[in-house]
């Protein structure tokens, strides 16, 4: 936790997210219990710093609501999911697609739902193509 906090203070947005998730689950090294307000603050900082995974997690927190801290808020969830998608998070693009198709947090729009679904599928294909590295590829001629 100490290193993630230092990293966050130094501008490392992934560190902000990691520290936030530790506060959210109570998995801190000093035995602290959950600190949801601090977790939200850190995850929001991560998203504000354009960390796509931070925005995705933040969206999920607003989709589910965090008991005792904020209610389910689909408009805010949509805003964060859209940002995460624009930053390249395929899971967020899938969520944006569903939200458009259902009208959750945004006006229902089947066309945009289909467009974001395709964006998520395109991202998925890109990931798959990057994983298709042959056995000993690059080792030929060594």
């Amino acid at each position: 936790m100490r290193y993630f906090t230092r990293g966050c203070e130094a501008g490392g947005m992934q560190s902000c997210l990691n520290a936030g998730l530790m506060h959210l689950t109570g998995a801190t090294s000093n035995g602290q219990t959950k600190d949801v307000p601090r977790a939200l603050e850190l995850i929001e900082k991560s998203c504000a710093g354009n960390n796509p995974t931070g925005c995705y997690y933040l969206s999920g927190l607003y989709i589910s609501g965090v008991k005792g801290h904020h209610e389910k808020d689909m408009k805010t969830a949509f805003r964060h999911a859209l940002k995460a998608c624009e930053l390249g998070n395929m899971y967020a693009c899938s969520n944006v697609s569903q939200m458009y198709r259902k009208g959750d947090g945004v006006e229902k729009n089947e066309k945009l739902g289909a467009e974001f679904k395709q964006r998520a599928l395109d991202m998925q294909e890109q990931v798959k193509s990057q994983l298709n590295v042959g056995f000993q590829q690059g080792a030929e001629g060594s």
Side-chain angles (χ1 to χ4, degrees):
M1 172 61 83
R2 180 177 48 185
Y3 293 111
F4 286 140
T5 301
R6 283 184 189 169
C8 181
E9 290 167 356
M13 294 302 110
Q14 186 63 40
S15 291
C16 294
L17 172 60
N18 292 341
L21 293 175
M22 289 180 79
H23 279 293
L24 188 65
T25 62
T28 58
S29 58
N30 61 2
Q32 282 182 305
T33 57
K34 292 180 184 183
D35 185 346
V36 176
R38 181 68 175 142
L40 288 171
E41 177 186 328
L42 290 164
I43 297 169
E44 285 172 356
K45 182 175 181 178
S46 174
C47 181
N50 293 327
N51 181 298
T53 308
C55 295
Y56 171 71
Y57 274 102
L58 191 56
S59 174
L61 291 171
Y62 281 96
I63 287 172
S64 63
V66 179
K67 291 180 181 163
H69 300 281
H70 69 76
E71 300 296 317
K72 182 176 178 174
D73 181 347
M74 295 304 287
K75 286 184 180 182
T76 302
F78 176 80
R79 189 175 75 244
H80 292 304
L82 181 60
K83 181 175 182 179
C85 176
E86 290 170 348
L87 291 170
N89 185 294
M90 76 176 153
Y91 304 109
C93 292
S94 180
N95 284 354
V96 168
S97 169
Q98 290 289 330
M99 294 169 95
Y100 268 123
R101 291 191 358 229
K102 293 179 178 181
D104 280 341
V106 67
E107 189 173 322
K108 190 173 183 174
N109 186 320
E110 291 289 333
K111 182 181 179 197
L112 284 173
E115 287 178 19
F116 279 94
K117 178 181 179 180
Q118 188 58 52
R119 187 184 296 191
L121 291 171
D122 291 346
M123 288 177 180
Q124 183 180 35
E125 284 303 313
Q126 185 178 7
V127 169
K128 282 182 184 177
S129 70
Q130 291 172 354
L131 294 176
N132 288 332
V133 177
F135 180 70
Q136 292 188 342
Q137 182 176 352
E140 296 172 14
S142 302

